[in-house]
């Protein structure tokens, strides 16, 4: 939410120990998210943790949602015997935080360090990736993750822009959101495939929150090579990248689905 509602400025995440102590020896930690976004009023802050509640000025086409996220957060914090609150100034930003009483692990309870790697699916090589996604939050997440692996990322926010982008630059992989303005991901994929030549072999993977088999069938019928459900897991995306041929336009081979 902080990223979604902050058009400029910053978002700061912090965690720190509170001075108060729990009766059972646990310590209290405060987790907070501060931003310089659109802010909230005192009246809004009192309603935000109710189910299906959203600030009135958030109800526009840019900021979609059900109003359940913060209600779920409050329920989780309540179950952990903590507290959650928010404050802010309209037009200047807001701060959301929750306090939790947590136990202190002993040396015997701390697991041995485990190195996590995508080496099991092959070391990733730098490739050029087009991400077609209209959600600003998803764009930021995708760019940060892919660029951290050394890949070059281009982002567009409509299906029509994706069709134009693949004709202007050579990409090794396209990650295509299913629902976008002007042209959806399925129609964009069909137009790309219809271009023929290297475009018929360009690896295209769909991105969608839908997990029904019918949606997967529609993606395959449109010409997609695979289908990743949101939120996309890093191991799944790493496997897709590792499965790509040495050159995306080499031969008629396709990456494994």
């Amino acid at each position: 939410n902080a990223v979604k509602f902050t058009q400029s400025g910053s978002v700061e995440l912090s965690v720190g120990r509170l001075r108060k102590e729990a009766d059972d020896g646990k310590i209290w930690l405060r987790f907070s998210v501060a931003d310089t976004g659109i802010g909230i009023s005192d009246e809004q802050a009192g309603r935000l943790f109710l189910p299906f509640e959203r600030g009135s000025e958030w109800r526009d086409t840019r900021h979609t949602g059900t109003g359940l996220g913060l209600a779920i957060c409050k329920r989780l914090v309540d179950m952990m015997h903590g507290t959650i609150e928010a404050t802010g100034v309209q037009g200047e930003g807001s701060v959301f935080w929750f306090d939790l009483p947590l136990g202190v692990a002993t040396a015997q309870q701390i697991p041995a360090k485990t190195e996590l790697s995508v080496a099991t699916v092959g070391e990733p090589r730098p490739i050029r990736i087009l991400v077609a996604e209209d959600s600003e939050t998803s764009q930021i997440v995708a760019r940060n993750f892919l660029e951290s692996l050394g890949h070059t990322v281009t982002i567009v926010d409509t299906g029509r822009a994706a069709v134009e982008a693949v004709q202007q630059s050579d990409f090794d992989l396209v990650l295509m959101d299913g629902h976008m303005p002007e042209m959806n991901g399925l129609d964009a994929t069909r137009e790309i495939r219809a271009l023929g030549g290297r475009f018929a072999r360009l690896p295209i993977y769909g991105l969608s929150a839908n997990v029904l088999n019918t949606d997967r069938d529609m993606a395959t019928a449109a010409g997609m090579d695979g289908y990743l459900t949101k939120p996309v897991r890093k191991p799944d995306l790493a496997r897709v990248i590792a499965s790509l041929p040495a050159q995306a336009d080499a031969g008629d081979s396709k990456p494994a689905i």
Side-chain angles (χ1 to χ4, degrees):
N1 283 342
V3 173
K4 180 165 62 174
F5 297 121
T6 302
Q7 299 301 313
S8 63
S10 62
V11 175
E12 180 179 305
L13 310 179
S14 62
V15 58
R17 180 173 178 175
L18 301 181
R19 292 185 177 181
K20 64 179 181 179
E21 300 290 340
D23 295 335
D24 55 4
K26 294 182 177 180
I27 63 172
W28 282 85
L29 295 183
R30 169 165 294 184
F31 303 79
S32 67
V33 183
D35 64 64
T36 58
I38 63 175
I40 56 175
S41 65
D42 292 339
E43 190 269 339
Q44 287 175 316
R47 303 195 323 264
L48 283 178
F49 296 103
L50 300 175
F52 303 107
E53 184 61 45
R54 303 174 63 216
S56 59
E57 62 266 56
W58 296 357
R59 295 189 182 102
D60 57 42
T61 56
R62 295 175 302 161
H63 303 138
T64 59
T66 61
L68 284 174
L70 291 175
I72 293 173
C73 288
K74 185 178 188 308
R75 183 169 181 181
L76 291 172
V77 170
D78 288 345
M79 292 171 66
M80 298 179 71
H81 309 292
T83 58
I84 186 169
E85 298 181 51
T87 186
V89 177
Q90 286 187 314
E92 297 185 13
S94 58
V95 182
F96 287 72
W97 73 89
F98 60 92
D99 299 341
L100 293 178
L102 301 173
V104 179
T106 65
Q108 291 76 18
Q109 293 174 311
I110 300 175
K113 182 178 179 181
T114 301
E115 296 292 340
L116 298 180
S117 172
V118 295
T120 54
V121 292
E123 292 299 329
R125 58 182 175 84
I127 63 173
R128 298 151 298 179
I129 303 175
L130 174 66
V131 178
E133 169 66 69
D134 64 323
S135 165
E136 292 184 13
T137 302
S138 296
Q139 290 174 1
I140 293 172
V141 172
R143 182 184 293 279
N144 288 345
F145 170 57
L146 293 171
E147 289 186 346
S148 71
L149 294 177
H151 304 304
T152 301
V153 181
T154 299
I155 293 180
V156 295
D157 57 6
T158 70
R160 174 57 60 193
V163 176
E164 296 173 354
V166 298
Q167 298 178 76
Q168 296 170 359
S169 302
D170 291 332
F171 293 102
D172 301 300
L173 173 66
V174 176
L175 299 176
M176 185 82 72
D177 183 35
H179 301 282
M180 292 181 289
E182 294 186 22
M183 178 184 292
N184 64 44
L186 296 179
D187 288 340
T189 300
R190 293 188 185 96
E191 288 211 10
I192 293 173
R193 295 304 189 210
L195 295 172
R198 63 184 177 88
F199 302 106
R201 301 184 298 273
L202 175 63
I204 303 176
Y205 274 72
L207 303 174
S208 177
N210 297 326
V211 296
L212 299 177
N213 288 333
T214 52
D215 296 305
R216 296 180 184 277
D217 293 341
M218 291 173 61
T220 301
M224 291 183 175
D225 297 284
Y227 185 94
L228 297 172
T229 56
K230 295 181 179 180
V232 178
R233 297 174 63 251
K234 289 183 179 180
D236 293 337
L237 191 51
R239 290 189 189 93
V240 168
I241 295 174
S243 70
L244 297 177
Q247 294 182 343
D249 59 350
D252 292 324
S253 61
K254 287 187 177 182
I257 297 176

